[in-house]
Amino acid sequence: MKRPKLVTDVSEWGLMRWPARTRARLVITSLAFIALATACAFISADYILNTSASVMLNLVLITANLFLLLVTAFLQAALIGEFFFSPGWRQRVLLGEKPASRSSLSDDLLAVHDHNAEFIAIIAIALFVNGFAINQVIGGFFDAYHNEAFFQVRMRSDDPEERLASLTMLADPLNNQIWERPALQEMILEGLGDPETSVRQRAAWTAGALLVRRADKTLSAMATDDPDPQTRARAAHALGKLPPAEEHRLTLERLITADQPLELRLGAFRGLAAMADAYAVPTILTQIDDPDETVAAYAYWALARIGSADARDQVKARVDTLPHGPRRCAALEAFKMVSTKEDTISARRHFQRVDPELYCEPLTFEEPDENIHHVVWGESVRLKWLKVVGNTDPFSHEDWMVRLVNDPEEDVRTRDVADEILRQMRRVQR
């Protein structure tokens, strides 16, 4: 069995002997393939960018076009060789004809006269130039495909999982440089009207995550009218992430009332928390005594995210009067962010007197990007009072913080939190 070998002599390839039979035939064939490659690129690009719904078919089409460009480059290299290489090069190399004086030449001299290396280099250069030129002529297809059409093609698929995957991949932070492209934002807007519930939900979340401002009216309509409560909740949350606007706030305020489905109310609270508009505080305060503990916890959490001192009095009243349990824990969570300097002495007193065993159970929710929000942190009540001091007036109580860090009688978690507060204070001082 013969060992395979790499053939570097183009005369042994036996390619394109028919078009290379005459110079005129070579010229005509080269021009024809240039026109054919350009036309196929136009047709393929238009189909892929505007019609195709299959990524695999697109890969086949792109591969076929690259093969056509390779054939065109070969013909162009042959044509250049015909005009610029040594006389008789086409007949000897492409047609394989033997020169009459071959026996008198050394193999090394023949290798030079055959211009094999130059021929292959010209093919490579022609392939690159043709690809670049056609890409420019058809409007930057490769850039559009890589950054836009790849996602659009999957969104045109009949398979909802493909459409879902397109929106999921687009929202990956690694793709943040293309998030503001109008074509992709338009794709997200179309996804908001998808017949599949899961796709609409993902499109709503993506519109909020990518700050697609043009989606505000559609998201408002979805939050109000979509038949699926979970989709309405996702749209309400996304609406709150967009740049603040009074009409957005008013829409969300209408959706937190007791006559709305529970999922929608929670989504609207998430939207108000993301918006962080202090004008929403009065409406949110009306919900902190809701019979549903989860709704009340979300109301307190929204107040904490807004951080307005306007909520301080009512939140403090609940902290002072509620018995230990989920409601008081949620109220304490909000109090950490709405308290003022005058509350720090009282907070230190509570820290010293409260039962160390009192613990608040966590309440969290997770976004599709795996970002976890802590509506109520799972921690002891003592830690919440410590954080009240840390969030309001830590510099006036720095010595106390230092004592906590150095007190071996304190539990490890308390010392760690006090130490973290001190580190943040030092960063601010720098």
Side-chain angles (χ1 to χ4, degrees):
M1 181 178 178
K2 289 185 177 181
R3 295 176 60 187
K5 66 175 184 177
L6 177 65
V7 177
T8 58
D9 188 346
V10 296
S11 65
E12 298 182 29
W13 293 358
L15 301 174
M16 303 297 178
R17 287 184 177 176
W18 183 87
R21 184 62 59 185
T22 65
R23 175 179 291 185
R25 188 182 292 180
L26 185 59
V27 171
I28 292 173
T29 306
S30 299
L31 293 175
F33 266 84
I34 291 174
L36 179 62
T38 304
C40 288
F42 264 111
I43 296 171
S44 299
D46 179 72
Y47 174 76
I48 290 173
L49 295 178
N50 301 309
T51 305
S52 175
S54 171
V55 174
M56 290 303 299
L57 177 59
N58 294 343
L59 292 177
V60 171
L61 290 174
I62 292 173
T63 302
N65 276 273
L66 291 176
F67 178 77
L68 190 57
L69 283 177
L70 179 60
V71 174
T72 303
F74 188 98
L75 288 167
Q76 291 171 323
L79 190 60
I80 292 174
E82 167 68 7
F83 284 103
F84 296 101
F85 289 170
S86 55
W89 175 85
R90 174 173 55 83
Q91 294 84 350
R92 184 173 66 256
V93 173
L94 299 182
L95 300 179
E97 298 175 359
K98 305 293 183 181
S101 59
R102 183 180 179 99
S103 59
S104 63
L105 297 174
S106 68
D107 291 341
D108 291 342
L109 185 58
L110 276 173
V112 173
H113 285 177
D114 285 345
H115 301 284
N116 291 327
E118 297 96 318
F119 182 72
I120 295 174
I122 293 173
I123 291 177
I125 294 172
L127 182 62
F128 174 79
V129 171
N130 289 341
F132 178 81
I134 289 180
N135 184 56
Q136 295 302 310
V137 169
I138 62 178
F141 166 78
F142 289 109
D143 175 73
Y145 182 77
H146 175 71
N147 292 315
E148 296 177 5
F150 176 77
F151 302 99
Q152 294 170 321
V153 166
R154 300 186 79 178
M155 280 297 290
R156 288 195 288 265
S157 173
D158 293 331
D159 184 358
E161 291 300 322
E162 280 291 303
R163 304 197 296 274
L164 196 62
S166 176
L167 292 166
T168 301
M169 184 176 295
L170 175 60
D172 190 312
L174 293 177
N175 293 318
N176 69 86
Q177 293 183 345
I178 62 174
W179 284 352
E180 294 186 3
R181 285 178 173 250
L184 293 178
Q185 296 196 354
E186 185 64 33
M187 182 193 81
I188 295 171
L189 289 174
E190 293 174 0
L192 295 174
D194 195 278
E196 186 69 25
T197 299
S198 61
V199 177
R200 291 201 308 278
Q201 290 180 10
R202 186 73 203 208
W205 182 86
T206 303
L210 274 59
L211 302 180
V212 183
R213 301 187 181 191
R214 292 187 297 154
D216 58 350
K217 289 183 173 55
T218 306
L219 288 173
S220 294
M222 286 181 66
T224 305
D225 302 324
D226 195 277
D228 178 63
Q230 192 60 47
T231 303
R232 295 177 66 189
R234 188 66 60 81
H237 188 187
L239 184 63
K241 293 182 178 181
L242 300 183
E246 183 180 11
E247 57 268 29
H248 300 169
R249 174 177 58 80
L250 294 175
T251 297
L252 295 176
E253 287 179 355
R254 288 192 294 269
L255 299 179
I256 64 174
T257 55
D259 59 334
Q260 300 292 343
L262 176 62
E263 300 97 323
L264 177 58
R265 298 179 73 188
L266 300 185
F269 278 120
R270 292 169 184 170
L272 289 170
M275 185 181 295
D277 187 342
Y279 285 106
V281 168
T283 303
I284 298 174
L285 282 171
T286 64
Q287 305 299 314
I288 61 176
D289 296 321
D290 192 90
D292 190 301
E293 289 183 346
T294 302
V295 171
Y298 268 78
Y300 281 118
W301 174 67
L303 293 173
R305 291 290 297 269
I306 295 172
S308 172
D310 293 342
R312 183 256 185 192
D313 291 342
Q314 291 201 46
V315 172
K316 185 177 186 303
R318 272 65 173 185
V319 170
D320 291 339
T321 58
L322 288 171
H324 177 70
R327 288 181 181 275
R328 187 166 188 269
C329 286
L332 271 170
E333 199 69 45
F335 193 61
K336 290 191 303 187
M337 306 305 297
V338 301
S339 54
T340 60
K341 290 183 178 182
E342 64 186 73
D343 296 311
T344 53
I345 298 298
S346 174
R348 285 183 56 173
R349 189 179 304 114
H350 282 291
F351 174 86
Q352 298 295 342
R353 296 176 179 177
V354 71
D355 184 351
E357 299 300 320
L358 288 183
Y359 182 81
C360 290
E361 294 296 330
L363 177 61
T364 64
F365 72 90
E366 184 176 353
E367 293 196 58
D369 63 349
E370 299 182 354
N371 183 27
I372 298 177
H373 295 271
H374 293 263
V375 178
V376 178
W377 282 88
E379 59 191 1
S380 69
V381 174
R382 292 183 82 229
L383 283 181
K384 293 192 183 298
W385 285 117
L386 174 58
K387 290 180 180 179
V388 169
V389 179
N391 288 337
T392 51
D393 190 22
F395 292 100
S396 299
H397 303 272
E398 183 174 1
D399 292 341
W400 179 63
M401 296 284 183
V402 172
R403 289 198 301 273
L404 289 178
V405 171
N406 296 321
D407 187 353
E409 299 298 323
E410 285 291 348
D411 64 274
V412 174
R413 180 60 179 154
T414 299
R415 295 169 69 183
D416 286 343
V417 171
D419 187 50
E420 177 59 27
I421 294 173
L422 289 172
R423 282 199 296 267
Q424 292 182 15
M425 291 165 58
R426 295 188 189 102
R427 283 197 291 268
V428 172
Q429 289 173 329
R430 291 174 189 169

